[in-house]
Each structure stands twice: as C-alpha cells, then as structure tokens.
Amino acid sequence: MPASVPAASAGVTTHWYADALDAPPDSQAAAHPSRTRAWAAAWQLQSTEIVLAHRHLHLDDTTERQTVSFHLTPADGSPYWTSQETDAGITPVWPGPVLWGGSPHAEYGGAGTASPAIARTTIAEGLRLADELGACALVFPGLDPHQADLLTATPFGARPALDLATDIAFTRPLGTSLDQWWQDIPGRHRRDIRRQWRRGTEAGLTLTALTGRNLHQTLPAFADLANTTADRHGTRLYGLDMLQHLAAVPGTVLLAAQDMNGNLAGGLYGWVHESCLYLWSSGIDYAHPAARYTYTWLMNDSARWAIKHGVRTIDAGRWNCKAKRRLGYQPTVLRTVIHLTDSAHPTTAAALNGLSLRLGVQAAPYLDPKHNPW
C-alpha cells in the first residue's frame, strides 16, 4: 500500500459489503435515482458497463450514515466515459483499470460526501481499494461544486486531486399547467416547438407511460432505438441488460410514443423520484414517418404527462444542449474528481485536463459564465 494514502478520519466507522443490499440504510433519503440502493444493486448485475469488481463501503460518523458503491472497469470499460472522449475528439485517457465512485452512466454522484469526515474516509478507503485492485485512478463523477470541494480537500501524496468540469445537466420547473409550460419556452422557439408537437399529434402519436410487465415487454424494442440514437453521436451507450436491471429502481417509467398501429416511434426512459421526472435515455425510430417530430413531441408530451401526475420538475439529462435550451431547460455544470494513483501514466493528468477543456468549448455557447462557469 503506498505510504501517501491519506488516513481515515477519527470517529468514522466503516464496513465493506459485497452486495449493496446488505449495507444498512443511509441517514438521508437518496437525492437522485442513481443514489438509491436499488440502483447500486442493479449495477452489480449489468454487463454493458464492464464491471470487473464491485465493493460497497458503509460509513458512519455518528450523525450521518452513507454507503458508497465502488466499481472497477477496464480502461475502456465504461461506454459513457468513452462517449465523453469521443465527443472531445481525443484518444482514450486511462492507462489502466479505473475505480469509479458510482458510475459515469449515473447522471449524479455524490455518495461519500455526507460530511467532511465521511468524505475524507471515502477517499482514504477508496484509494486503498484502488491500490488493491490495481486501478490507475479513483474517480467520482457527477458532482456539484460542494461535493467536489469535499472530495478534493484531502491531497493524495504530491499529486493533487483533479477537479474538472465534464458534464452539463438540464432541468426546468414544470408549473401547474401546459399553458405555463409553453410560456416558459423561449419566445423565439415557442412557435416552432408547438408546431412540431402539433404535427406529431396529427400524425397519430400518443403517449403511454409503461411500467412493470408492460415496460419489460417493450424494453427490447426501446433498447434498439436508444442505441440507434446513441450511434448517431458516435458511441453505443445502452445494453438491454442495463435497462432491464435498472427497471427495479423505484419510479421507473418508459414514456412511449406509439403510432396509430401501436408501433413504437420513440421513447424516454427514466424515473419519477421526489417529485422530479428524470429523463435518462431516449430512443427514436428514424425510419418512422413521424421521426422528424418525435423527439420534440416526446419532450413536450412528457411534460404534459408529468404535470398531470403532480411532478414539479423535469431533469432532462445531459448534453444535447441546443435542443434542451430551445425547450427552456437551464444548464448546471457537473464536475468529476479524480485521484490518480501511483500506477497512472505521467501524461494522464494532462489528457484529462484536455478532455475537460475540449468539452468546455462545446458547452460554452449554452452557459452563462457568470452564473454557471465551466
């Protein structure tokens, strides 16, 4: 074990679990679907992201209790991270296996930041596990600035942790009526967006919220559409196994756009959690006659469905910035904290900074640098 691994904080008790469901409950409810125990349990089973090993660390500082799920992947084992490299136009950055605190596929992270003492212990124990498993880096994606600050407060030897912007999430409040939804779309885009929604409705599209058995029956068809959509951006992201296992997360719903013949023209896969609808993946049948309107129709009809069911906020997921800004969504920059281990190549830090800079250039037109700096 490297001598530079930081010491855990006094007063924090820890226990490792082989199965996420065996860990005691957290002291606070999960802030996002990807922070739930059900998500961590589902991630143990899927194979689209190549998980070589997983461990679950429960931490207790007598006031806060939290479980962090660590997953080891090969250097190229995470499709979502690969998509970031592809979007940035750079070669793969990792020289070896990576230990993730969560997964890049989860929009939000933050487990292990319930308190400064828990954050310090999370880093210490995570680095010990990274060393044991031969990882080149310990990585925490999907963080807000406060979480990133907590996870960079403890240095690792002479090499400081990297705190890099890598993502943008998009959210907007729903209001209480569809009229208010339309009103909050930027005026210069509102007419065209309403026209596309109307064209989709005139083409016979209807929205069906699929859950349970109906969802599982439709997932194979949706997985094909989701990957066709992802392929257009250069990276295959989703596996049927991933979608099937994540269906166990409470609040899972597939908002399916079906035509008059019952065919699946497109869909949005996500969760209703704490009065927020999280849209995580989308799939469009680009060969369908209504394909030109399907995405915009789905994004607006899902808002209509959400308002009807008492949802207060929609989180539209990451990137696809132009379309989401047209719909009135506001961006939030997400950060990734990286602790490189002694096995990391000297150029890895430079490559990671380059990744962030290139993604930042793409994000810049959609951000207000005063209120949401990259």
Side-chain angles (χ1 to χ4, degrees):
M1 184 185 304
S4 50
V5 171
S9 290
V12 178
T13 59
T14 62
H15 190 88
W16 288 97
Y17 294 89
D19 191 304
L21 296 178
D22 290 338
D26 291 359
S27 55
Q28 299 183 30
H32 310 286
S34 53
R35 290 274 298 280
T36 62
R37 199 60 51 80
W39 180 293
W43 215 255
Q44 298 172 167
L45 303 173
Q46 63 81 44
S47 58
T48 300
E49 186 165 85
I50 305 170
V51 179
L52 303 174
H54 57 85
R55 303 285 190 277
H56 310 276
L57 175 66
H58 186 73
L59 306 106
D60 186 343
D61 70 358
T62 73
T63 299
E64 300 287 352
R65 299 180 304 278
Q66 198 168 56
T67 297
V68 186
S69 293
F70 293 97
H71 299 91
L72 182 75
T73 73
D76 60 351
S78 175
Y80 185 78
W81 185 266
T82 298
S83 75
Q84 298 283 74
E85 295 169 336
T86 300
D87 289 345
I90 64 172
T91 57
V93 298
W94 303 120
V98 181
L99 185 63
W100 305 92
S103 164
H105 271 283
E107 181 177 1
Y108 297 104
T113 59
S115 72
I118 283 178
R120 179 180 176 86
T121 305
T122 295
I123 298 165
E125 296 299 317
L127 286 169
R128 288 187 177 89
L129 181 62
D131 181 59
E132 174 189 328
L133 298 176
C136 72
L138 172 64
V139 184
F140 299 91
L143 306 174
D144 63 35
H146 174 67
Q147 293 165 343
D149 287 345
L150 287 170
L151 291 170
T152 54
T154 300
F156 173 44
R159 191 179 287 128
L162 301 175
D163 176 6
L164 303 175
T166 56
D167 260 316
I168 312 175
F170 286 90
T171 59
R172 60 164 289 186
L174 269 174
T176 57
S177 68
L178 193 58
D179 285 342
Q180 186 173 346
W181 168 264
W182 294 124
Q183 188 62 36
D184 289 341
I185 291 175
R188 63 187 181 278
H189 302 306
R190 190 181 307 133
R191 182 176 180 180
D192 180 57
I193 288 171
R194 292 196 70 160
R195 178 185 62 82
Q196 291 189 53
W197 181 67
R198 187 170 59 252
R199 291 284 180 87
T201 301
E202 291 169 351
L205 296 181
T206 58
L207 190 77
T208 304
L210 302 176
T211 59
R213 182 178 179 182
N214 291 332
L215 178 146
H216 278 280
Q217 290 176 338
T218 310
L219 280 182
F222 174 74
D224 288 341
L225 297 187
N227 277 313
T228 298
T229 301
D231 287 347
R232 291 166 69 96
H233 297 280
T235 306
R236 178 153 291 222
L237 290 176
Y238 309 106
L240 177 58
D241 65 305
M242 179 188 293
L243 300 171
Q244 289 171 329
H245 292 311
L246 289 175
V249 176
T252 305
V253 63
L254 175 60
L255 298 172
Q258 296 174 314
D259 64 18
M260 290 180 288
N261 297 316
N263 298 314
L264 185 66
L268 300 169
Y269 185 94
W271 298 270
V272 176
H273 179 85
E274 297 292 325
S275 300
C276 180
L277 172 61
Y278 291 84
L279 302 176
W280 185 67
S281 63
S282 64
I284 304 297
D285 180 357
Y286 292 101
H288 195 280
R292 182 178 176 184
Y293 316 112
T294 302
Y295 179 78
T296 300
W297 183 90
L298 263 170
M299 292 295 286
N300 287 282
D301 222 59
S302 63
R304 180 188 62 81
W305 176 87
I307 292 167
K308 181 179 178 181
H309 287 82
V311 174
R312 295 195 293 267
T313 305
I314 293 187
D315 186 308
R318 298 172 287 192
W319 293 103
N320 196 11
C321 304
K322 182 177 180 179
K324 291 169 185 175
R325 290 293 273 159
R326 278 171 50 88
L327 287 163
Y329 284 90
Q330 297 301 310
T332 298
V333 174
L334 300 178
R335 310 198 67 78
T336 297
V337 166
I338 302 156
H339 289 263
L340 296 173
T341 68
D342 288 344
S343 62
H345 192 275
T347 60
T348 302
L352 288 163
N353 277 289
L355 171 81
S356 177
L357 287 171
R358 285 172 176 253
L359 293 175
V361 170
Q362 297 173 27
Y366 309 101
L367 298 175
D368 178 351
K370 292 183 179 179
H371 300 101
N372 216 342
W374 185 261

